Amino acid sequence: MPRPQRPQIIVCGLGRTGLRIFNLLRQQGARVVGVSYHPMPGIGGEVVIGELRSPTTLIQAGIHQAQTLVLATSDDALNLAILTQARILNPNIRIINRLFNISLGERLDHTLPHHVSLSSAALAAPLFAFAARGNRAIGQLRLFDLTWPMYEEVITPQHPWHGKPLKALWDNRSQLLIHYHSARRPIDLVTAVVTGEVLEVGDRIVVATQPQQPMLKSRQIAQFWQRLVVTLDHGRRRARATLLVILALLITIGLATFTYLWNSLNTSWVDALYFSVGMITGAGGQEQVAEKGSAAIKVFTAVMMLVGAGVIGICYALLNDFILGSHFQSLWSVARMPRQHHYIVCGLGGVGYRIATHLQSTGHQVVVIEQDANNRFLPSVKALKIPTIIADANMTSTLETVNLASAQALLVVTSDDTVNLEIALTARSISPQVTAVVRIYDAEFAQQVQQVFEFDQVLSPMDLAAPTFAAAALGGRILGNGMAGDLLWVAIATLITPNHPFYNQPIQAVAQSAHLVPLYIESRDGQGTTLKGPRPIHGHDLLNVTLADGDVLYLTMPANRLDCLQYSPASVTEEMRG
């Protein structure tokens, strides 16, 4: 049976991100039209020039016949304006919306049918975190409330998988096989597993690995004791001046009390102490102790009043500053500052904020350096109790304060490429051994920086996020994606209905014919209640399952073959959402 014609996709806004999405879609064989303000010389494919929100421009791009519209500009307001105009012209068009405001995107997803909002920062942040932890991820996969890094292995004679049967990797539940490319003959992954194919030199395999969750409870206990020790240590040093002044005050009170007792043996030590404290603090009381004394005692009392006023004033000032002032805040920040094996995030923009929260949610210690005291993410970071320093990350003293030398990794992710490069070079001069992950906006420039300066990884959020936009535009409920060479791989969930092309077929058969890789399956009754729960991720039992009405098949496949399961991409998405 011939494949259905691929739906037409419009990419509105051919900036760096939009152009990357446009080229990826063309590369995967989709019928795609670009819309740009300015002519795009040297760009293959159809491009319409005009005002992006203009009905005339959208009609010229084919808005009435198009199935999907990708809004790829960097302006949320402009994307919303194009959205409303497009929905007036084509109420049923599926929209992939690039929004920096994630909360607005979530509201639009729940309000508008056929609307999917994506954030470049949210998509790129986990990959930055993976890079800091040593994974050279080419993509990510969201399963079981975990984000799995996806990477490519090239088999060499020294590779530990050389000579290993693919079936052994398939049965390993801590990893998911995504794609297999044989250096000897064309063969799909499922067929290679079933026939006992062995990995040889030159073979390539894409694998998603289950993230290792640290032992959160033991880590939290260790952090508590560390903070307690640091608090006591720094508190002792901060309180030294205050303790000295308090000691001087007590000596002054003791001297005055002894003098009054020596002058008049008829005065009790309680009265002498009471008068000394009242006289020095200015509160008064038991004045007869001095009034009945000699002239020398009265002169002594006057001197004590002056000395006491000075000592009390200094003591009050130090106590107030220590408890309520900057010293206490500094003490609290230092106490929470990790000493070792932590991650330092420089720059609290959209990417930096999500990197910090991702690392913390997976049990890692994080420190944030941000120069802008009015940064909009600061309240959220403070609410999460992530130690934050308002300072210039390019200063040596700042990096030393956050214990750079003993850190696990440094992530430099401000919005300025020049600043990022400068901070990374400063950090290298202090601690060359610390892993450095640097953000560079332009993907080509990122590769040049990586080659010249040899940082551990130099990543472009735009380059990392674009494949997900392209995959979402091609249809389905996208769970993850990755690039292997020029091939875009996507992980999706597809609902099996009587109209689905996979209905009533064994998984092994559809896997071999469509070149997909099954991950697991969920079966539901007519009301959406899970009956059997998730099937095994790997193993021959999964391959022998026959797909029935209500099953949800989780799989990975090349994006250019998504049309194999599209009887209506938009309806699939809506059924899955329901």
Side-chain angles (χ1 to χ4, degrees):
M1 185 176 67
R3 293 184 184 179
Q5 189 179 29
R6 292 183 176 91
Q8 183 181 23
I9 301 170
I10 300 175
V11 178
C12 211
L14 296 184
R16 290 180 177 178
T17 302
L19 184 59
R20 171 71 169 150
I21 297 170
F22 178 79
N23 289 332
L24 278 173
L25 288 170
R26 290 183 60 244
Q27 184 178 309
Q28 305 308 315
R31 294 192 305 121
V32 58
V33 176
V35 180
S36 174
Y37 277 118
H38 310 289
M40 307 289 292
I43 302 299
E46 184 179 354
V47 177
V48 175
I49 308 301
E51 172 65 38
L52 303 185
R53 72 184 80 186
S54 167
T56 303
T57 304
L58 293 174
I59 291 172
Q60 185 180 353
I63 191 71
H64 292 302
Q65 297 79 30
Q67 178 123 23
T68 303
L69 171 67
V70 180
L71 304 176
T73 79
S74 58
D75 186 337
D76 283 5
L78 177 57
N79 286 341
L80 290 174
I82 301 171
L83 181 153
T84 54
Q85 184 61 65
R87 276 295 168 88
I88 292 174
L89 297 173
N90 184 350
N92 296 318
I93 193 167
R94 183 167 179 259
I95 293 178
I96 311 300
N97 200 348
R98 177 190 180 190
L99 290 175
F100 289 86
N101 190 330
I102 293 180
S103 60
L104 173 61
E106 291 175 348
R107 292 186 178 92
L108 290 174
D109 290 344
H110 286 89
T111 303
L112 299 177
H114 315 320
H115 182 278
V116 178
S117 61
L118 297 172
S119 164
S120 298
L123 293 170
L127 297 177
F128 274 87
F130 293 146
R133 290 155 58 183
N135 290 323
R136 295 186 177 273
I138 63 172
Q140 56 182 307
L141 178 63
R142 187 70 182 174
L143 282 178
F144 311 121
D145 296 325
L146 296 174
T147 302
W148 301 48
M150 190 185 303
Y151 62 95
E152 184 177 30
E153 293 282 352
V154 179
I155 306 302
T156 63
Q158 296 77 29
H159 198 284
W161 292 352
H162 180 224
K164 196 170 186 177
L166 276 168
K167 183 180 183 302
L169 301 178
W170 178 269
D171 292 333
N172 186 345
R173 293 174 179 265
S174 64
Q175 62 190 18
L176 303 174
L177 300 188
I178 305 299
H179 170 58
Y180 168 66
H181 174 78
S182 174
R184 300 170 303 284
R185 60 191 178 98
I187 184 173
D188 65 274
L189 175 59
V190 172
T191 300
V193 170
V194 173
T195 58
E197 194 79 7
V198 175
L199 290 171
E200 300 291 347
V201 175
D203 291 352
R204 292 186 292 112
I205 186 166
V206 178
V207 182
T209 59
Q210 184 176 7
Q212 298 297 320
Q213 295 284 17
M215 299 179 65
L216 296 180
K217 188 172 182 180
S218 60
R219 183 182 290 270
Q220 290 171 354
I221 293 174
Q223 291 176 8
F224 170 78
W225 286 110
Q226 174 185 307
R227 290 177 182 176
L228 179 60
V229 171
V230 173
T231 301
L232 295 176
D233 179 53
H234 286 268
R236 176 181 55 80
R237 284 184 283 172
R238 290 290 189 185
R240 185 174 299 169
T242 305
L243 292 175
L244 289 175
V245 174
I246 292 175
L247 180 61
L249 176 62
L250 295 176
I251 291 174
T252 303
I253 293 173
L255 176 62
T257 302
F258 174 77
T259 301
Y260 294 130
L261 284 174
W262 175 77
N263 176 68
S264 177
L265 296 177
N266 295 326
T267 301
S268 68
W269 70 270
V270 175
D271 289 339
L273 176 63
Y274 185 73
F275 173 68
S276 299
V277 173
M279 174 263 299
I280 292 173
T281 60
Q286 293 292 338
E287 287 81 0
Q288 66 274 12
V289 173
E291 290 175 354
K292 295 178 181 180
S294 62
I297 290 298
K298 292 179 180 178
V299 172
F300 173 79
T301 302
V303 173
M304 285 294 101
M305 286 181 178
L306 295 175
V307 173
V311 174
I312 286 294
I314 296 173
C315 186
Y316 282 166
L318 288 174
L319 284 173
N320 181 70
D321 183 59
F322 180 73
I323 297 175
L324 301 177
S326 60
H327 283 179
F328 181 77
Q329 295 176 4
S330 176
L331 168 63
W332 181 244
S333 298
V334 171
R336 293 169 51 208
M337 190 70 63
R339 291 293 188 91
Q340 58 184 359
H341 306 311
H342 56 288
Y343 294 85
I344 303 171
V345 178
C346 301
L348 197 59
V351 175
Y353 169 71
R354 287 168 183 85
I355 291 173
T357 54
H358 176 85
L359 286 170
Q360 191 200 46
S361 66
T362 52
H364 298 280
Q365 298 184 85
V366 187
V367 178
V368 172
I369 304 175
E370 169 57 41
Q371 193 168 10
D372 183 8
N374 298 315
N375 183 284
R376 63 192 181 103
F377 292 112
L378 277 176
S380 300
V381 168
K382 291 180 179 178
L384 294 171
K385 298 181 180 180
I386 297 176
T388 305
I389 292 182
I390 306 300
D392 184 357
N394 192 42
M395 300 295 292
T396 301
S397 57
T398 303
L399 294 175
E400 290 176 346
T401 299
V402 298
N403 302 315
L404 173 66
S406 56
Q408 191 77 22
L410 173 76
L411 297 105
V412 190
V413 291
T414 77
S415 57
D416 190 316
D417 288 357
T418 305
V419 172
N420 290 341
L421 183 58
E422 188 177 6
I423 294 172
L425 291 174
T426 302
R428 171 178 284 181
S429 67
I430 300 173
S431 301
Q433 78 283 357
V434 175
T435 299
V437 180
V438 184
R439 168 187 176 175
I440 297 294
Y441 183 76
D442 181 76
E444 183 177 352
F445 183 45
Q447 293 178 358
Q448 295 171 354
V449 170
Q450 173 77 62
Q451 184 176 357
V452 173
F453 297 101
E454 297 181 348
F455 295 119
D456 293 275
Q457 288 214 49
V458 181
L459 303 175
S460 165
M462 175 269 295
D463 198 48
L464 297 175
T468 300
F469 282 87
L474 290 168
R477 177 187 167 192
I478 305 300
L479 304 173
N481 63 269
M483 289 293 299
D486 292 332
L487 188 62
L488 172 62
W489 279 85
V490 294
I492 65 174
T494 181
L495 176 65
I496 306 300
T497 67
N499 296 323
H500 197 285
F502 296 165
Y503 174 69
N504 205 29
Q505 295 189 47
I507 290 181
Q508 180 174 330
V510 299
Q512 292 172 322
S513 62
H515 296 279
L516 63 84
V517 179
L519 301 178
Y520 73 98
I521 185 175
E522 287 180 348
S523 297
R524 295 184 170 93
D525 62 13
Q527 287 71 43
T529 303
T530 300
L531 294 177
K532 291 170 279 186
R535 296 283 182 90
I537 298 177
H538 299 290
H540 290 283
D541 290 342
L542 178 61
L543 297 178
N544 295 328
V545 172
T546 298
L547 294 167
D549 185 17
D551 288 349
V552 180
L553 177 63
Y554 293 76
L555 57 94
T556 62
M557 69 186 310
N560 57 15
R561 297 189 63 87
L562 279 172
D563 54 346
C564 292
L565 49 84
Q566 288 177 349
Y567 59 91
S568 176
S571 64
V572 169
T573 303
E574 290 308 307
E575 289 181 81
M576 291 299 302
R577 183 180 299 172

